[in-house]
Amino acid sequence: MDTTTRRKFLIASGVVGGAALAAGATTLALTDLLATSGDRPEGAKTLVVITLYGGNDGLNTVIPYADRAYQDARPELAYDGGEVLRLDDSTGLNPALKGLHELFGGKKLAVVRGVGYPKPDRSHFRSMDIWQTANPERPGNTGWIGRWLDGVGGDPRLAVSFEKVLPPLLAGERSAGAVIGAADAKLPKAVTAEALAGFAAPSAGEPPLQARAAACFGDLARVREMAQQVKDADTDDDGGDEEKVPATGTGGLAGLQAQLDLVAQCIEAGVSTRMFSVSLGGFDTHADERNLQEQLLSYLDKGVTAFYRRITAHPAGKDVVVLVYSEFGRRVRANASDGTDHGTASNVFVLGESIPGGIYGEQPSLTDLDDGDLKFTTDFRDVYASALDRVLQADPGAALNGWKGRLPWW
């Protein structure tokens, strides 16, 4: 196959975008990662970042059920003390988070409340830029993990996304992480297994980065089959389908469990990757929120807890930390459509064998508000700094523009 034809196929397939090829973005095959098995330094830890796109409602995720102001602000959406999964006498988890509640009981889950940043922005894209670049004043062109990657030599295999495209989080000034988007790849219907093998074969004279992108097809059939098995297992378990959830907002719904299953394979194989990025979208719950959010949180719960049980059965599991965040929470008061609109501060989950589980951070007041929104009590850069220090074993100041804060409990 000539280089031009294959390039057009790569672009049309959605496995690699045209802009990514033109810019020379790093797109790897699964075998590129598995080839690094055994290269991992002794004692190296792994950070898994889960992004919840769309602005997850923190008040209905980590629920201040004993606060009368919570019940008064959203009477149709609020959960009472008999519905929540209790964490203490005033706070509980959404009833969809049964697995995470069990991890909390085992002191493996930290719930960090009131996480945000100064002068919050309610735009999905602007706020996500702020979270991923870790710069509330003026989001730049590099992410906090990308800057860490710059500092450790720039090997793209050290920071890998199993999303469709490379998130800004992994973009550095001199380097960038890698994308393996096979968990949700879509191919033209007429493409056969034999055709995939043909596309994966090297072509004389083509650019090295294009050849690397094309090599993804060598793994694609096997990875897609594995990912579908994960999705089928999820459907069999709850009778639902992620793709049918009527959610809005940034980010796709497909394949959180499939993404995490690939992460688990890599961890079990001992690959050199130190940071993985995965995501779940659909949290922009402006209407009919309660049932919709429970479905989404159920997908999150099942994906994370299955992943956690799998990796902790392996020796490498003790060195894995999972961080779950969204770009903002929702407003305290419900809207007229039984939903909530864009807000500010929310919660972050941190879990792992090395994490001191518990509830941390001050719960923002539900009556002392900033134009109807929560005032943050924990700066998100404190979370990042602790992850850089404790998991990636790096100087947080270099990746966070000299930031000095830390989470005092971690």
Side-chain angles (χ1 to χ4, degrees), residues 75-406:
E76 300 300 322
L77 295 181
Y79 293 85
D80 61 37
E83 295 175 293
V84 303
L85 303 171
R86 296 197 180 198
L87 302 179
D88 61 21
D89 292 338
S90 62
T91 309
L93 289 180
N94 187 287
L97 298 175
K98 295 179 177 63
L100 290 181
H101 184 250
E102 182 179 336
L103 290 177
F104 181 87
K107 300 188 182 302
K108 304 302 181 186
L109 171 68
V111 178
V112 191
R113 299 178 296 189
V115 184
Y117 56 87
K119 299 179 181 179
D121 195 294
R122 296 184 187 91
S123 160
H124 288 296
F125 302 104
R126 176 76 172 181
S127 189
M128 188 55 74
D129 280 347
I130 288 171
W131 273 86
Q132 296 208 9
T133 65
N135 190 341
E137 290 79 23
R138 188 175 60 186
N141 297 320
T142 62
W144 64 281
I145 289 294
R147 295 191 293 272
W148 164 79
L149 188 64
D150 283 342
V152 294
D155 185 341
R157 295 172 298 182
L158 293 177
V160 170
S161 171
F162 283 115
E163 301 163 88
K164 286 184 178 180
V165 295
L166 187 79
L169 170 68
L170 272 61
E173 183 178 351
R174 300 180 301 277
S175 57
V179 174
I180 302 178
D184 194 35
K186 292 179 173 61
L187 294 171
K189 294 180 180 179
V191 176
T192 64
E194 292 75 16
L196 285 177
F199 286 123
S203 294
E206 68 178 337
L209 287 169
Q210 184 171 311
R212 179 181 289 175
C216 293
F217 290 101
D219 286 316
L220 188 54
R222 180 172 63 85
V223 173
R224 278 172 53 83
E225 180 181 359
M226 180 277 299
Q228 188 60 52
Q229 289 172 354
V230 175
K231 293 180 187 178
D232 290 344
D234 184 43
T235 301
D236 291 343
D237 186 51
D238 66 10
D241 185 347
E242 291 180 45
E243 301 291 352
K244 295 179 182 178
V245 176
T248 62
T250 52
L253 280 170
L256 175 65
Q257 285 198 9
Q259 294 175 63
L260 289 171
D261 200 70
L262 289 170
V263 174
Q265 285 191 48
C266 292
I267 292 171
E268 291 165 348
V271 302
S272 63
T273 307
R274 299 289 309 281
M275 184 273 172
F276 294 95
S277 175
V278 301
S279 66
L280 175 65
F283 286 91
D284 198 18
T285 50
H286 288 281
D288 301 320
E289 176 183 309
R290 187 160 160 152
N291 290 334
L292 170 57
Q293 190 195 23
E294 282 193 21
Q295 290 182 63
L296 292 167
L297 291 178
S298 177
Y299 298 141
L300 173 68
D301 186 75
K302 290 176 182 177
V304 171
T305 54
F307 170 75
Y308 188 85
R309 294 187 187 105
R310 175 173 174 175
I311 61 167
T312 52
H314 190 276
K318 71 182 189 318
D319 294 322
V320 178
V321 171
V322 180
L323 190 156
V324 185
Y325 79 99
S326 192
E327 69 261 38
F328 45 61
R330 317 295 291 190
R331 292 180 73 81
V332 175
R333 188 165 296 279
N335 62 28
S337 302
D338 291 332
T340 52
D341 298 324
H342 301 176
T344 55
S346 191
N347 316 286
V348 167
F349 291 143
V350 186
L351 61 147
E353 291 290 286
S354 62
I355 296 299
I359 304 176
Y360 299 100
E362 180 184 350
Q363 170 63 45
S365 170
L366 301 187
T367 55
D368 179 17
L369 302 175
D370 179 10
D371 190 25
D373 284 323
L374 300 175
K375 297 178 180 178
F376 81 98
T377 57
T378 299
D379 195 296
F380 74 97
R381 288 166 291 186
D382 289 355
V383 179
Y384 290 170
S386 295
L388 286 161
D389 180 20
R390 305 288 291 177
V391 185
L392 297 180
Q393 300 155 317
D395 173 20
L400 298 176
N401 300 313
W403 185 257
K404 302 294 185 183
R406 300 286 192 282

